Amino acid sequence: MIQCWRLDDSRQTLVLGSQNGHLAEVVYWGPRLSDQEDLTTLYKAHVPDVTGGMLDQNPELSICPEATRTFPGQPGMSLREQDGTPLLPKFCFADAQEEGDALTLIFKDQNDELTYTARFAIDGQTHMIEARAWVDADRPVHLHWLSAPVFPAPQNSDEMIDFAGRWCGEFQMNRTPWSAGIRFRENRTGRTGHEHFPGLIVPCGGATNASGHAYAFHYGWSGGHRMAAEELPDGRRQIQFGHATRVELQAKKRFETATLYAMFSDDGINGCAVAFQRHLRDRVVTWPDPDRPRPVHYNCWEAVYFNHNLPELKDIASRAASLGAERFVLDDGWFGNRDDDTMALSDWEVDPRKYPEGLKPLIDHVHAEGMSFGIWFEPEMINEDSNIHRAHPDWALGGEDQILGRQQKALNMSLPEVQEFLFDRISKILSDHEIDYIKWDHNRVLPSPDASQTRGSYALIDRLREAFPNVEIESCASGGGRIDFGILSRTHRVWLSDSNDAHERLKMQHNAAIFLPSAVTGSHVGPRECHTSGRVYDIRFRAWVAAQRHMGFEMDPRELNEDEATVLKDVTTWWKDNRDWMNRADILRLDSSDPSLIAEQQLAEGGGRFVVFAGRAGTSTQIAPRPLRLTRLTADAMYRVELINKEDAPELSRGTPLLKSEPLVASGAYLMSHGLTLPWSFPDKMWVLEGTRL
């Protein structure tokens, strides 16, 4: 007997099927199918042939491959009894629940008394599929591994793209050719991690940023993950995502995966990016006030570090406001006896030495300058040199002889008393002061991975969000070490990297836009000399790179000369004038014919306007710039395109391309097939072009 189900949106169809009561498998996933399609026929057509040296029938590549079905690849689940005996379930169909655009499939194993449930939901507007799984037992058992529902990968793909990185070098793209065997990545650091962002792109042959078929995945969990992309001996391919293995330390009756976000694109990698951007912004993040414009930030970290001095901070705040800042964020150093990063973490009380009258005088001054006020916390961490560690050394996670990170340990967030303590201390600061923003940091990996640590952190944030619903939270973890849809369902902004190096930011922002919209991606204008790279950049480049995302400043404004201050004010004013539509724009990566050019097109809802940021990230291999082709325009519509910073052209730009002197009016077909001829520029410069449909 064959049973089949389908989920559709206007772009894609997902068909699942089950034969003889076995676990369901994805038998089709791709472009939208006809409503008249016979799903049983598709199931039968999906079955591959066999030949000599094989089993008489290929085992199903199911949504949770079972070791008991002679499956030749990685199983989707690994369980043990409390005495260590492996459990090898053989699940059989029990029920299917169809509700609108969602499907829940339930399978039972009678021998081991286990129930496996998988749920799929498709969003017709964002084109996102959300999939998750859970397993129930009638007694506590141990979990080694549980994959979210398994999807097949296309066999006409030559490579897969995943994302690695490091501190100050996040979102680096890896391209790995498909071959027989497995691409296996596991993050066991206890947080999402700079090194292992939980995302995967599988482009089909010939796909680019702007064209072709592609599939994409993201696992929305903040505690470390495992990814397996496997090509089986028969050529079929599977994608598995789940929590890192062996992170459930206690036997339980139920285990759940996080949500796996997946989609098919018929518009290249940009189709994947737009789905992620829209779904995160409109479905995952819960905004305190969705209609409030995103404020320009000023963060004082790179101006004062731990040297907090009230008159100096007031002066800096006034200067930041005059440049256009709308939110002042007081960073590390305001609490305990926090004079450097070796002491006082967890002593969340205002330092009377630095603030003898408390934070109110500074907050009042910030408000008088027309800015709101934010503050830094690192709640999940503790220094040994702190009052709380001396009173409660048992609250620290890990052994006494563990390797410290930045002279700190992690608090055991699974302990109710730790959560209660942190809630009380943070609540008091928020209740006693007019604060609308928290920069929530997380500056070390855990001594050992433990899923209960992540759940404890989630619980604390959830409780604070309920108590202070108007407070926004930024997820920062040594920069981009905790960026995922799990933490972003509780927060509103991410700090992409601790590097304010505009050259590095240009590349990181370009890649991160595959998953993150502008509204949540913090980007700040750093100091003239970057403190993490030592590079020196012109203010124009620094300002325009920050203006690509949620803009802010993070430098000492007292270092600015008159020209720099004027440029920063002008770019900030431009960003404010455009932020409302850019906040909801689709960020599209452009296919540049020159690899030294990193370019994106931010296209407004409805397609009536756009802005192009074209950053020169290196010395070009050719003497004259090649045309830059745009994307997703209406071919027969006319567009007016203006280079808004043409005055930045250097003396070595000696020619007369039209954009240097006047706007260009051309059809969408011309702009997409031929492209824009930009002026010559030095490396680490940015051209900014505004486009309007006529």
Side-chain angles (χ1 to χ4, degrees):
M1 182 182 71
I2 296 174
Q3 297 170 280
C4 292
W5 308 269
R6 67 183 287 175
L7 292 170
D8 302 275
D9 62 26
S10 60
R11 175 197 289 177
Q12 65 189 328
T13 295
L14 178 71
V15 179
L16 296 105
S18 169
Q19 186 171 21
N20 299 326
H22 291 189
L23 273 172
E25 58 182 318
V26 175
V27 299
Y28 176 84
W29 183 28
R32 177 71 154 84
L33 296 178
S34 166
D35 291 340
Q36 283 71 52
E37 206 79 59
D38 186 291
L39 301 186
T40 300
T41 297
L42 296 187
Y43 186 93
K44 293 176 179 178
H46 172 74
V47 177
D49 199 1
V50 296
T51 184
M54 299 177 67
L55 295 170
D56 296 335
Q57 181 179 333
N58 284 291
E60 297 101 330
L61 174 48
S62 76
I63 56 176
C64 187
E66 299 161 285
T68 53
R69 304 284 190 188
T70 61
F71 183 70
Q74 295 292 310
M77 180 190 303
S78 179
L79 295 167
R80 292 181 180 271
E81 296 280 13
Q82 293 195 62
D83 64 2
T85 303
L87 292 171
L88 299 172
K90 185 170 68 174
F91 289 106
C92 296
F93 177 77
D95 192 18
Q97 300 169 2
E98 298 181 73
E99 41 181 323
D101 293 327
L103 169 67
T104 302
L105 299 175
I106 303 170
F107 299 84
K108 293 185 178 294
D109 174 85
Q110 300 298 335
N111 292 332
D112 292 322
E113 298 183 317
L114 300 171
T115 300
Y116 172 83
T117 306
R119 186 178 190 275
F120 302 83
I122 193 166
D123 190 303
Q125 291 183 308
T126 66
H127 305 297
M128 185 69 69
I129 297 171
E130 295 187 355
R132 60 187 181 92
W134 57 96
V135 61
D136 293 285
D138 69 339
R139 74 283 183 199
V141 297
H142 286 288
L143 175 72
H144 175 80
W145 164 245
L146 176 62
S147 175
V150 173
F151 284 81
Q155 295 187 53
N156 62 339
S157 170
D158 299 321
E159 65 179 2
M160 66 191 87
I161 303 171
D162 56 26
F163 299 83
R166 57 172 175 80
W167 178 70
C168 288
E170 292 84 344
F171 281 94
Q172 299 176 22
M173 293 178 72
N174 297 316
R175 294 178 179 267
T176 305
W178 281 99
S179 61
I182 191 167
R183 168 73 167 162
F184 175 86
R185 298 191 68 188
E186 184 163 28
N187 169 18
R188 301 189 59 76
T189 65
R191 65 181 185 185
T192 318
H194 306 78
E195 308 83 1
H196 299 281
F197 176 77
L200 178 70
I201 311 293
V202 185
C204 297
T208 68
N209 284 322
S211 65
H213 288 185
Y215 297 79
F217 306 87
H218 169 66
Y219 190 64
W221 170 250
S222 308
H225 76 285
R226 173 182 174 181
M227 181 201 84
E230 183 177 24
E231 183 172 302
L232 302 175
D234 56 34
R236 292 178 296 171
R237 294 165 173 172
Q238 66 162 331
I239 304 296
Q240 293 189 10
F241 272 96
H243 293 12
T245 54
R246 304 184 303 279
V247 296
E248 298 288 359
L249 306 185
Q250 305 297 322
K252 297 195 302 183
K253 291 184 177 182
R254 167 174 280 207
F255 297 99
E256 303 179 29
T257 72
T259 299
L260 176 64
Y261 299 87
M263 92 287 298
F264 161 77
S265 165
D266 56 6
D267 194 18
I269 293 174
N270 282 338
C272 304
V274 169
F276 279 128
Q277 291 166 23
R278 293 180 180 180
H279 197 78
L280 176 63
R281 183 193 64 217
D282 299 339
R283 301 290 189 268
V284 176
V285 177
T286 55
W287 305 96
D289 183 357
D291 296 326
R292 179 172 62 181
R294 307 298 284 142
V296 176
H297 277 218
Y298 176 76
N299 185 291
C300 70
W301 175 243
E302 293 190 36
V304 300
Y305 298 102
F306 295 101
N307 185 27
H308 289 213
N309 174 281
L310 186 57
E312 189 174 15
L313 285 170
K314 286 183 175 181
D315 179 37
I316 288 171
S318 296
R319 292 170 184 261
S322 71
L323 293 167
E326 298 165 306
R327 174 181 280 154
F328 181 96
V329 180
L330 185 66
D331 212 288
D332 195 357
W334 58 268
F335 56 92
N337 60 335
R338 182 77 163 172
D339 294 331
D340 57 41
D341 63 3
T342 69
M343 63 183 71
L345 273 183
S346 72
D347 293 340
W348 300 113
E349 295 174 319
V350 178
D351 184 349
R353 301 171 306 154
K354 298 175 183 177
Y355 298 96
E357 298 178 66
L359 295 177
K360 191 175 186 302
L362 177 60
I363 295 175
D364 288 346
H365 179 80
V366 166
H367 288 163
E369 292 288 356
M371 296 184 290
S372 62
F373 189 84
I375 196 166
W376 182 94
F377 283 97
E378 192 175 2
E380 296 141 287
M381 300 297 155
I382 187 169
N383 289 125
E384 289 184 319
D385 184 5
S386 68
N387 294 333
I388 299 304
H389 191 278
R390 284 183 281 272
H392 300 282
D394 54 309
W395 284 4
L397 188 69
E400 294 180 1
D401 60 347
Q402 66 179 276
I403 298 173
L404 301 182
R406 291 204 352 163
Q407 298 297 311
Q408 64 193 51
K409 297 177 179 178
L411 284 166
N412 187 342
M413 296 300 297
S414 67
L415 296 177
E417 57 269 34
V418 169
Q419 293 184 35
E420 192 65 32
F421 162 77
L422 290 172
F423 180 81
D424 288 346
R425 286 290 175 94
I426 297 171
S427 301
K428 180 169 176 51
I429 296 295
L430 297 180
S431 298
D432 291 350
H433 305 89
E434 194 174 339
I435 294 171
D436 76 345
Y437 188 83
I438 293 174
K439 179 180 177 181
W440 188 298
D441 217 335
H442 186 292
N443 276 312
R444 66 153 291 171
V445 300
L446 300 187
S448 60
D450 183 350
S452 65
Q453 183 77 6
T454 303
R455 288 191 289 266
S457 297
Y458 282 175
L460 174 61
I461 298 173
D462 291 346
R463 188 178 174 192
L464 286 165
R465 284 287 311 279
E466 184 178 2
F468 302 94
N470 295 321
V471 173
E472 288 190 15
I473 302 175
E474 173 184 279
S475 175
C476 174
S478 302
R482 186 159 62 180
I483 297 176
D484 60 82
F485 285 22
I487 197 68
L488 276 162
S489 67
R490 297 163 169 85
T491 58
H492 312 90
R493 192 180 197 251
V494 294
W495 186 229
L496 193 61
S497 177
D498 276 345
S499 173
N500 278 321
D501 181 308
H503 175 95
E504 300 297 339
R505 276 274 177 165
L506 178 69
K507 295 184 287 187
M508 282 187 276
Q509 290 175 179
H510 191 63
N511 292 340
I514 296 174
F515 300 93
L516 303 176
S518 177
V520 306
T521 309
S523 186
H524 293 177
V525 182
R528 190 180 300 122
E529 179 178 348
C530 176
H531 79 152
T532 58
S533 69
R535 295 191 183 108
V536 176
Y537 297 109
D538 182 82
I539 187 63
R540 291 159 180 82
F541 185 54
R542 287 182 279 148
W544 283 120
V545 169
Q548 288 184 283
R549 300 295 184 267
H550 183 188
M551 190 177 186
F553 321 143
E554 190 158 350
M555 93 291 269
D556 191 335
R558 295 169 297 184
E559 79 170 19
L560 298 173
N561 60 37
E562 185 176 349
D563 175 65
E564 290 172 325
T566 298
V567 170
L568 186 52
K569 287 179 185 177
D570 289 346
V571 175
T572 303
T573 299
W574 178 90
W575 187 83
K576 289 180 178 179
D577 289 343
N578 290 276
R579 61 181 160 189
D580 286 344
W581 73 264
M582 288 173 60
N583 185 56
R584 299 196 58 80
D586 297 329
I587 304 173
L588 306 170
R589 292 156 52 97
L590 295 179
D591 290 320
S592 174
S593 301
D594 182 349
S596 72
L597 192 71
I598 296 178
E600 70 180 32
Q601 174 186 331
Q602 297 192 18
L603 183 63
E605 288 181 304
R609 65 190 302 183
F610 61 83
V611 61
V612 172
F613 294 95
R616 181 70 64 187
T619 302
S620 181
T621 57
Q622 71 268 351
I623 193 167
R626 291 187 170 127
L628 177 65
R629 289 171 291 120
L630 306 189
T631 189
R632 286 198 178 193
L633 303 180
T634 302
D636 59 357
M638 300 301 292
Y639 293 85
R640 181 184 185 274
V641 183
E642 180 178 6
L643 180 64
I644 66 171
N645 61 334
K646 49 183 172 288
E647 69 279 359
D648 294 343
E651 290 184 3
L652 281 177
S653 173
R654 298 170 177 172
T656 58
L658 181 64
L659 284 168
K660 285 178 66 175
S661 59
E662 62 183 90
L664 165 71
V665 176
S667 68
Y670 175 86
L671 296 172
M672 292 188 290
S673 59
H674 179 273
L676 296 168
T677 301
L678 300 174
W680 185 92
S681 67
F682 289 113
D684 296 326
K685 303 295 181 182
M686 179 85 81
W687 293 124
V688 184
L689 303 105
E690 290 184 336
T692 306
R693 187 172 58 205
L694 300 177

